[in-house]
Amino acid sequence: MKMPLDDNRYLKGAPVAARIMDEVRAAAEKATGEGFKPRLVSITVGDVAAVDVYVRNQRAKAEKVGIDFEERPFPAEITAEELEAAIHGMNADPRVTGIIIQRPVPSHIPIKAIQGAIHPLKDVEGMHPSSIGNIVYNDLDLAPCTAAASVELLKATGLDLKGLEVVIVGHSEIVGKPIAFLLMSEGATVTVCHHMTRSVAAHARRADALFVAVGKARLIKADMVKPGAAVIDIGINSEVGPDGNSRLVGDVDTESVKEVASWITPVPGGVGPVTVAILLRNTMVALSRQRALYQSTYATESKVAAE
C-alpha cells in the first residue's frame, strides 16, 4: 500500500525549506537596505539541457527572497585556464556574493580545481577544500548544501542529537563525510559505511537515524532499518516503472521501509527543496563575511556600499 502524501511519517522538505527561506528573505532585505544587494552568479559550461531545470529553480527561489541571480554561460570548448581566469574576475568583483558551478562540466574541465578557484568567501556551495576542512573545526556556516540540508531534516524530527546513534551509508567528500562531521559537532555518535564495509545491514539496523547517499536505487530494505528510526534518503535514481514511464526513486525502498521507520524523506520532495534553501542561506552567510572583511580592510562600509 502506497503511503498517502499527508502521512506524517513523510519528512517533507517543503516546510523546512520555507522556514529557512523566510530567514534568508529577512536577511536579504536588511542587507539590501544597507546598500549590499546579494547576488549569485551561476556558471554553466556547454549546452547541458539537464542543467536548465536546476538553474531555473535556483533563479526562481533566489529572486523570491530578494537575491539577484545571474547566469554566465561559457562554451564547451573553453579551457580550464580560461574558466579559472573568469572565476578570478568574479572573486575580485565586490558585486558578486556567491559563485555556483553547474554540473556536469565537459570532461576536460577538472571540477575540483575549478571549485578550488572560487574564493572561500564566495563558495556558497560549500565545496571549496577550506569550507569542507572548516567543518572539522566546528565552523559549520558554509557546509556543503546537500549535507547541511540532510542534517536540517533530521533536526526537524525533534530528536535530541546528543548521543544519537547515526549511521551514514556513503562516504563522498561532499555528502557523506560532511554529514558525519556536522553530526559529530552536534554530539551524535556516527558510523560511516562504504563499499568496503563488511556488513552494511548490521550497522544500519543499529541506527536511530540512517542517512543513505550511494546512488543505488532501493538499496536499503525494511529489514535493514531499526523500528522507529529516522531515514534520510539522499539518493536520486531514475527507474522505469511497470507502465514504461521513468520516475525518480531514492536509495531507500520507501514502500517497505515506511512500515518500520517513524520518519522517512520522500524522493522527490525531501532533501532537494532544503538543499536550494541552504544554498541561499549560505549566500547570506557569505555576504556577511565579505562585509566584515571589507569593513576591516577599509575601516568603514559606507564607501563600499556606495560603490
Side-chain angles (χ1 to χ4, degrees):
M1 179 179 177
K2 190 172 182 179
M3 186 160 56
L5 291 176
D6 60 352
D7 192 305
N8 59 14
R9 288 172 291 182
Y10 265 135
L11 188 54
K12 297 180 184 177
V16 178
R19 171 180 56 77
I20 296 171
M21 295 274 281
D22 285 343
E23 296 169 358
V24 171
R25 185 181 297 106
E29 288 176 357
K30 184 175 185 295
T32 300
E34 295 169 347
F36 289 84
K37 179 72 172 178
R39 184 186 187 196
L40 274 176
V41 173
S42 167
I43 293 175
T44 305
V45 183
D47 185 14
V48 184
V51 167
D52 292 341
V53 176
Y54 295 106
V55 173
R56 285 198 301 270
N57 185 37
Q58 290 168 356
R59 173 186 286 279
K61 295 294 176 60
E63 293 179 346
K64 187 175 181 180
V65 296
I67 295 175
D68 285 346
F69 189 94
E70 178 188 349
E71 296 178 52
R72 293 196 188 179
F74 292 90
E77 302 77 28
I78 192 172
T79 67
E81 292 75 17
E82 290 170 333
L83 185 55
E84 283 192 34
I87 290 172
H88 290 316
M90 298 175 209
N91 288 338
D93 187 345
R95 297 167 298 178
V96 175
T97 307
I99 304 168
I100 312 166
I101 307 292
Q102 304 293 348
R103 293 163 181 76
V105 296
S107 57
H108 70 278
I109 300 292
I111 187 61
K112 287 186 178 180
I114 296 301
Q115 195 69 54
I118 297 173
H119 194 286
L121 287 177
K122 299 194 176 187
D123 173 37
V124 293
E125 292 185 281
M127 293 185 185
H128 190 282
S130 67
S131 301
I132 294 176
N134 283 341
I135 298 173
V136 178
Y137 297 99
N138 288 341
D139 183 357
L140 314 176
D141 288 345
L142 282 178
C145 297
T146 301
S150 303
V151 173
E152 285 287 342
L153 281 163
L154 178 59
K155 290 179 178 179
T157 65
L159 290 171
D160 185 0
L161 301 190
K162 295 181 179 63
L164 197 72
E165 189 80 27
V166 177
V167 172
I168 302 164
V169 182
H171 72 318
S172 73
E173 288 81 2
I174 61 174
V175 181
K177 289 176 182 175
I179 288 174
F181 283 109
L182 288 169
L183 288 170
M184 282 191 288
S185 74
E186 300 281 355
T189 300
V190 180
T191 300
V192 180
C193 299
H194 45 77
H195 64 283
M196 289 183 283
T197 301
R198 292 181 180 177
S199 178
V200 171
H203 290 287
R205 279 192 289 266
R206 295 198 329 263
D208 300 314
L210 179 64
F211 292 76
V212 192
V214 292
K216 294 185 178 180
R218 306 179 191 277
L219 173 69
I220 302 298
K221 309 294 185 183
D223 62 356
M224 300 172 70
V225 176
K226 178 181 179 179
V231 180
I232 312 297
D233 187 355
I234 308 164
I236 300 178
N237 310 282
S238 182
E239 177 182 86
V240 177
D243 58 0
N245 295 322
S246 61
R247 56 182 178 177
L248 295 179
V249 298
D251 290 349
V252 175
D253 183 25
T254 304
E255 291 305 303
S256 65
V257 172
K258 71 180 176 62
E259 302 300 334
V260 179
S262 289
W263 299 273
I264 185 169
T265 56
V267 176
V271 176
V274 186
T275 298
V276 179
I278 294 291
L279 173 70
L280 301 177
R281 186 174 74 182
N282 282 358
T283 300
M284 297 314 301
V285 171
L287 180 59
S288 177
R289 292 185 176 186
Q290 289 164 34
R291 289 181 65 177
L293 176 62
Y294 296 150
Q295 187 173 29
S296 65
T297 302
Y298 298 106
T300 177
E301 289 187 335
S302 59
K303 178 183 177 182
V304 180
E307 291 174 353

